Amino acid sequence: MAQPVIEIKNLKKIFGEREVLKDVNFTVSKGEVVCIIGSSGSGKSTLLRCINLLETPTAGEIYYHGEDILKSKKASHQYCAKVGMVFQQFNLFNNLTALENCTIGQIKVLKKDKREAETVASNYLKLVGMEQFINAKPKQLSGGQKQRVAIARALSMEPDALLFDEPTSALDPEMVGEVLKVMKNLAKSGLTMLVVTHEMAFAREVSDRVVFMDGGVILEDNTPEEIFNNPKFERTREFLKRSKNE
Amino acid sequence: MEKLATFLSGVAKVWNLYGSSLIDGTKITILIAIVGTLAGLLIGILVGIIKTITVKKDDHLVKKLVLKIVNFILAAYIEVFRSTPMMVQAMLLYYGTAWIFNIRVNAIYAAIVIVSINTGAYMAEIVRGGILSIDKGQYEAAHSIGMTHWQAMSLIVLPQALRNIMPAVGNEFIINMKDSCVLSVITVNELFFQTKSAAGATYLTFHAFAIACVIYFILTFTVTKILRYVERRMDGPESYTIHGSQSAPEAEIRVNLKQTK
């Protein structure tokens, strides 16, 4: 077993009176691709947002290479720089060009000089097939192009792990393909990925493990073969059946 | 027709006698409006940023308390200066300092201070609105690549907020250009003051103010044009350059999006 990059213990998140996450435990190992599936409101996105500290967990621990990152505020910024996030709504910086989107974090957070940052950024923009558009502003790009730049932005920080929060849900069907292709290539390259998705075919094909969440807990955590062909719970079966009919 | 001819000769007379003092007044009007608006914007940015700081449950008690007090003071500042006429504020400052400290401040300095503080109160709300209008995702994305709160604000949120509030800032600028005339009550010799003097000396009140009217219009119209230009500059080019086409990597193709949108 490879060493865990992220380890979550007894994670809880309460919004007002609603308990969105109840006692979540799981680990992501180096080089692993884990897909989180489940119906809307099951806590998938909240779990991801907690891991990236966009939400402060109500209780529990998050370990990054064995270090509890909820303990110290200083470490948390460095941690965020090392665990990237790709959002459903892309969230590219609208005031910056595609290239600047990919360099600003390197320059301001990792303290690289501009030339070096631009070299790294162009490499990743090339990887996602966006090298022609480095001078374009986000409003000049299509949804799929924006998401590919967003992936390049996250990669430019050379993260240990990348979190994807429904990266294709805001895209029209034609553009889903181009983003999924990029993600598949990343998965093959050995990047540690944690993907919240509704793309069942993608989860089945690419992931090492699939996690099924329901009602704020992890119901099943297994290989894709087991989850898709031989689910242990009735609830999982029901969900998979319904998502197939869609 | 005859009336028009006498009107024009009256205008010419006022201009010949008092043209230079009207121009001096115009300069002071411009000075007050520019400095007042810029200083006001600066105050507004500061106050607006402080007012958008959110308090989290697990923040330190001291931070919560300080923020609460500061917010109260800022809210009081905004409410007081938005709820009283600038003319009255000018009177209070100018004659107040004279009465309390026995000093007579330079009227122009007093005018600039009053316009700045007054504009700042409005700008604070404009800036706050601008910051709130920026999608939360922008801040979250900045946070997700490890930026601190200040980095996210100064590099990502504020530049976008400032662009969005430019039309409102332009409004304030134009208002200041015109409303600086109320400062004539504290003997600031700006355009309105000079026009009144010219009118009083020549008894050609209508003619003098006709000139002032034209000058004010030219001023505000020019400001409008300049602001539009600044906005376009902030937006950056409509088109972008495509890099390295496959047949000729060094070729750069410009794509214009104006037509496609």
Side-chain angles (χ1 to χ4, degrees):
Chain A
M1 184 84 180
Q3 59 166 137
V5 177
I6 297 166
E7 191 173 4
I8 291 161
K9 280 186 182 163
N10 311 106
L11 196 74
K12 261 189 201 143
K13 178 69 191 176
I14 300 170
F15 286 115
E17 309 232 306
R18 243 165 57 84
E19 201 173 11
V20 181
L21 294 177
K22 315 166 186 168
D23 201 32
V24 172
N25 293 283
F26 87 118
T27 59
V28 183
S29 301
K30 199 161 177 53
E32 235 185 347
V33 177
V34 181
C35 280
I36 305 177
I37 58 172
S39 53
S40 299
S42 59
K44 309 180 301 284
S45 287
T46 308
L47 173 61
L48 220 57
R49 290 170 64 83
C50 278
I51 295 176
N52 205 4
L53 303 179
L54 289 172
E55 308 284 354
T56 316
T58 312
E61 288 133 46
I62 299 172
Y63 293 95
Y64 171 68
H65 289 299
E67 188 190 353
D68 189 350
I69 45 122
L70 294 175
K71 287 261 158 62
S72 97
K73 255 202 171 147
K74 254 191 196 150
S76 72
H77 286 296
Q78 269 145 28
Y79 162 78
C80 282
K82 283 284 137 203
V83 177
M85 176 107 165
V86 174
F87 297 87
Q88 183 177 353
Q89 299 296 340
F90 331 125
N91 295 350
L92 283 183
F93 303 135
N94 292 324
N95 55 330
L96 305 175
T97 64
L99 183 69
E100 287 165 342
N101 261 281
C102 298
T103 57
I104 192 161
Q106 298 183 67
I107 295 168
K108 300 289 173 182
V109 180
L110 302 179
K111 311 285 179 206
K112 285 189 191 173
D113 69 64
K114 201 176 164 210
R115 283 285 284 277
E116 197 188 345
E118 279 178 357
T119 317
V120 173
S122 339
N123 276 339
Y124 285 114
L125 282 165
K126 199 174 275 174
L127 189 75
V128 298
M130 288 296 293
E131 74 272 25
Q132 293 186 317
F133 301 93
I134 57 174
N135 287 327
K137 287 273 181 79
K139 67 172 177 191
Q140 297 165 326
L141 299 173
S142 72
Q145 291 174 328
K146 276 187 212 172
Q147 193 61 297
R148 284 189 281 154
V149 174
I151 292 172
R153 172 177 69 184
L155 288 172
S156 295
M157 300 299 287
E158 312 207 296
D160 264 0
L162 210 48
L163 314 174
F164 292 81
D165 186 7
E166 300 191 24
T168 56
S169 296
L171 299 174
D172 70 52
E174 277 183 83
M175 291 174 180
V176 170
E178 61 184 80
V179 172
L180 287 182
K181 205 174 111 195
V182 167
M183 289 171 65
K184 273 178 200 167
N185 287 337
L186 287 176
K188 272 184 215 145
S189 75
L191 183 74
T192 311
M193 289 162 65
L194 186 55
V195 187
V196 168
T197 187
H198 290 296
E199 297 288 331
M200 293 305 151
F202 174 82
R204 194 171 200 155
E205 188 189 329
V206 177
S207 51
D208 299 309
R209 255 167 62 212
V210 173
V211 170
F212 177 71
M213 282 188 75
D214 189 51
V217 292
I218 291 178
L219 211 56
E220 285 195 54
D221 180 349
N222 218 325
T223 59
E225 292 78 30
E226 280 293 309
I227 294 259
F228 286 104
N229 301 329
N230 193 16
K232 287 197 182 60
F233 289 86
E234 182 55 37
R235 179 74 190 89
T236 318
R237 207 166 301 146
E238 206 180 299
F239 172 78
L240 289 171
K241 203 172 135 200
R242 223 179 300 153
S243 60
K244 218 174 268 168
N245 288 345
E246 266 165 18
Chain B
M1 214 57 220
E2 205 178 310
K3 204 111 197 180
L4 184 68
T6 41
F7 170 70
L8 287 178
S9 73
V11 167
K13 190 181 166 197
V14 174
W15 184 252
N16 285 335
L17 286 171
Y18 292 95
S20 64
S21 65
L22 290 181
I23 286 171
D24 287 343
T26 307
K27 283 181 192 156
I28 289 171
T29 295
I30 294 173
L31 176 79
I32 293 172
I34 290 179
V35 178
T37 309
L38 288 181
L41 181 60
L42 232 56
I43 296 173
I45 290 172
L46 261 169
V47 176
I49 289 175
I50 295 170
K51 288 206 79 168
T52 47
I53 296 175
T54 46
V55 189
K56 279 191 230 131
K57 250 192 209 153
D58 51 345
D59 275 336
H60 200 278
L61 194 69
V62 177
K63 187 185 166 189
K64 279 187 194 168
L65 199 71
V66 168
L67 215 55
K68 199 140 213 173
I69 294 168
V70 171
N71 268 331
F72 176 80
I73 295 168
L74 293 181
Y77 157 62
I78 292 173
E79 289 316 319
V80 168
F81 278 87
R82 286 200 309 177
S83 312
T84 54
M86 188 160 80
M87 207 170 182
V88 176
Q89 293 161 16
M91 291 295 245
L92 284 178
L93 179 85
Y94 189 60
Y95 293 104
T97 48
W99 187 73
I100 298 166
F101 303 110
N102 271 324
I103 44 162
R104 188 143 282 249
V105 286
N106 184 322
I108 292 178
Y109 293 154
I112 288 175
V113 168
I114 275 299
V115 174
S116 304
I117 298 176
N118 191 284
T119 310
Y122 287 93
M123 289 285 193
E125 287 298 278
I126 293 172
V127 171
R128 193 171 71 89
I131 292 172
L132 292 181
S133 77
I134 302 302
D135 179 31
K136 232 181 124 208
Q138 296 284 314
Y139 181 86
E140 288 182 350
H143 176 92
S144 82
I145 57 170
M147 283 192 192
T148 61
H149 175 81
W150 285 113
Q151 282 176 328
M153 285 305 274
S154 62
L155 298 168
I156 307 299
V157 177
L158 265 184
Q160 294 181 49
L162 286 181
R163 165 62 191 92
N164 288 357
I165 64 170
M166 274 314 280
V169 171
N171 260 348
E172 284 297 313
F173 198 168
I174 287 168
I175 288 170
N176 281 342
M177 216 40 130
K178 295 180 298 174
D179 281 10
S180 57
C181 72
V182 305
L183 297 162
S184 61
V185 295
I186 57 167
T187 71
V188 179
N189 48 356
E190 41 67 65
L191 181 56
F192 183 84
F193 186 90
Q194 298 286 18
T195 312
K196 226 168 68 177
S197 311
T202 56
Y203 294 109
L204 293 168
T205 313
F206 172 55
H207 307 72
F209 278 98
I211 297 173
C213 180
V214 171
I215 296 177
Y216 274 120
F217 181 80
I218 293 170
L219 287 186
T220 50
F221 193 70
T222 316
V223 166
T224 313
K225 288 285 160 213
I226 292 172
L227 284 166
R228 272 246 141 272
Y229 174 75
V230 171
E231 273 181 45
R232 276 202 301 273
R233 279 296 297 272
M234 287 172 101
D235 283 342
E238 267 307 319
S239 54
Y240 60 92
T241 314
I242 284 209
H243 268 262
S245 89
Q246 281 179 337
S247 50
E250 67 283 351
E252 294 199 331
I253 307 155
R254 281 195 87 71
V255 176
N256 197 316
L257 273 111
K258 224 168 195 171
Q259 263 99 45
T260 58
K261 274 256 160 89

